[in-house]
Amino acid sequence: MVEDYGYINGRIRILRTELLSPRTLEELSAASSYAEFLRQLSETTLAEDLRETTAQGSGLPELDAALSRNFHRTARKVLSFTDGEPRGEIGVLLAKWDLTNLKTLGRGVMKGRSSETIGEAFIPGGTLNLALLQTASTASDLLGAAQTLSVGGGPLARVFREAAQAFVSSGDPMDFEVSLDQGYYKYALSTVKSAALRSYLAREIDVRNALSSRQLRGAAGLAAAGVDVGVDDAGAH
């Protein structure tokens, strides 16, 4: 593994050759049936992940799972040839899928959904082990889920616990989600050194602020909740 961004970019450019071409996408969109669509798709680089989609009774959920597996394997592949600072920064970007999964976990537990239902909505594209998330989904409340995540959940386990405590204190599900966003971006900004990536994250925070301000009563989103989006000192702007 290396920290050479030039080498990493070269490997990623090679991976781009595995993407579906515009011509292939156009042909897929013209498929006369779902079966024909799958047949054409099975002739692409996605073939390895599509075996279960041809089983009797399979449908869109199986296709979605196949595409998720492909994404997860590709993400793992990128991490496999990185080390040091680049690995940490790529991990921060992949952790956005962890953020999505943690929100899915929290919503499901709060609404009393079954572990099976919650698990079906997980996206296998982040850094958290899906088996750990699945175990956490069996908890009866958010603090119980947080306790499960505390073993092997990495930095985002603490973020989830703080979000769970915010919900317990207020009873407002929105406080849980804002706290998760807040914790993720604090973690991301503390990890990332690249000025360009810090600028990218700052723009994301601006968008989150705008969205949150529409949902929270009289709040200004993440900035009002205490997220430091001022990254000028790091040369992001």
Side-chain angles (χ1 to χ4, degrees):
M1 294 187 290
V2 297
E3 297 185 46
D4 184 344
Y5 278 107
Y7 170 81
I8 295 169
N9 286 335
R11 293 291 300 268
I12 290 176
R13 289 192 187 97
I14 293 174
L15 289 177
R16 290 181 62 183
T17 63
E18 299 180 8
L19 295 175
L20 301 183
S21 68
R23 180 178 179 180
T24 299
L25 291 172
E26 183 177 349
E27 292 173 349
L28 289 170
S29 68
S32 58
S33 65
Y34 182 64
E36 176 62 16
F37 169 81
L38 284 181
R39 186 195 66 76
Q40 294 182 24
L41 197 59
S42 66
E43 296 176 354
T44 70
T45 55
L46 296 171
E48 180 181 345
D49 300 290
L50 293 173
R51 296 189 182 111
E52 292 182 13
T53 65
T54 58
Q56 186 174 4
S58 63
L60 291 178
E62 286 73 22
L63 175 61
D64 186 59
L67 296 177
S68 292
R69 285 194 300 272
N70 179 268
F71 175 74
H72 180 65
R73 190 172 65 252
T74 302
R76 296 295 97 193
K77 190 180 297 184
V78 171
L79 281 179
S80 72
F81 52 72
T82 63
D83 202 356
E85 184 177 308
R87 184 180 180 87
E89 295 187 339
I90 291 173
V92 161
L93 294 177
L94 291 178
K96 286 196 291 184
W97 297 105
D98 293 327
L99 179 64
T100 297
N101 283 336
L102 290 176
K103 288 182 178 181
T104 296
L105 172 63
R107 292 166 185 162
V109 171
M110 282 188 281
K111 293 180 179 180
R113 292 174 177 163
S114 69
S115 176
E116 291 75 14
T117 300
I118 297 173
E120 289 173 356
F122 287 144
I123 302 172
T127 62
L128 293 176
N129 188 298
L130 281 181
L132 178 63
L133 288 169
Q134 192 70 58
T135 301
S137 70
T138 65
S140 59
D141 56 39
L142 288 182
L143 290 179
Q147 181 62 35
T148 299
L149 291 174
S150 66
V151 181
L156 292 185
R158 176 182 54 79
V159 170
F160 187 90
R161 171 171 289 279
E162 292 175 353
Q165 291 171 338
F167 171 73
V168 170
S169 297
S170 69
D172 187 344
M174 184 55 66
D175 286 344
F176 167 77
E177 299 211 8
V178 169
S179 181
L180 273 180
D181 285 335
Q182 178 183 3
Y184 164 74
Y185 284 106
K186 282 183 176 179
Y187 154 69
L189 290 173
S190 70
T191 302
V192 168
K193 306 301 180 185
S194 164
L197 187 49
R198 289 177 68 84
S199 180
Y200 168 80
L201 290 170
R203 288 195 296 272
E204 275 201 347
I205 291 173
D206 288 339
V207 173
R208 293 283 185 180
N209 285 340
L211 293 174
S212 295
S213 67
R214 297 181 58 186
Q215 297 174 294
L216 296 173
R217 299 183 300 273
L222 292 175
V227 172
D228 179 10
V229 297
V231 293
D232 299 272
D233 292 343
H237 295 302

